[in-house]
Amino acid sequence: MRPFALAAAAALLLSGLISGLLAGPAAAVPAPVPAAVSAATGTVVAKYQTKVSAALYAASTGSTRLATVPADYTLGTKTNRKSPDGTRVQVQYGSRTGWVLLSKVTKVSLSTKIGRLSWAQSAAKNIAKWCRGVPVSTNTTNRNMATMSVSWSGSTRTVKTRIHLSTITGWGTKLDPNHKMAVAIQYHECGHILQYRAYNYDPAALDRAMNQVYGRNGTEHMADCIADVMGAQREGVYSTSGNTTRTYVAGYGGTCTSKHYAAAKRIIAGSRA
Ligand SMILES: [Zn+2]
């Protein structure tokens, strides 16, 4: 019951910048977003959000494409018509009417705003399975971290957590929130939130436990192993432009043993390592 306030800024993650020189345009820049469906031209009766980028087909069959709809884009439909084979739905994309594969979209509530999710919303969606409801802030200063604070009022504890993500890379280029490097960073930071939860928002206890399992810098290494279990690709090619290839390492580059993964799975499940 002793009152205390504690603010722990956990752990900056270095989003990697490993090879490749600054030459050529950056990849992974989001496509321009067309205007939303005009309310004056009809009533939207259902909405669908792309899970990945998806072709807008001209017709219910055939391969003629009108456009490519980016990932995390909410489309309205005035007809909700399905193709005869049941694989496509008719939608509006800006001023165009076309068809998208149902396998590439999820039906969402009519209250969902038409258009592309914000960067932070896309990131929140990527980690929703584990970190639903944790606020996400974005920055353009290449800072990625998970923060927590604990405050007491009498015997009532208030915990606040937040994930901070950079929308630019260490190269200074725009980062697509669904790029595998961005997702690896999102998983790592979400992993810190799960660590805080498992150790009851006591960073000192967390660090002690993590160092026992993982050795030095255990909390960070563990977040990488948690990210792996979530499906992160911590290393890979970021982009290629001409003969310049940029490769990345998201996180700290350590190797996770089967013991580390077992502990990571316990943390994800809400238990202590
Ligand atoms: Zn970290």
Side-chain angles (χ1 to χ4, degrees), residues 8-20:
L12 232 76
L13 166 69
L14 301 167
S15 59
L17 148 55
I18 305 309
S19 73

Side-chain angles (χ1 to χ4, degrees), residues 7 11 24 61 80 117 136 143 155 171 200 214 221-222 247 250 256:
T61 58
N80 209 18
L117 294 182
V136 174
R143 282 180 314 126
S155 59
W171 299 289
N200 198 25
Y214 296 94
H221 180 59
M222 152 83 141
T247 59
C256 302

Side-chain angles (χ1 to χ4, degrees), residues 11-13 188-189 192 220 223 252:
L12 232 76
L13 166 69
H188 175 105
E189 301 307 338
H192 283 315
E220 288 303 340
Y252 291 77

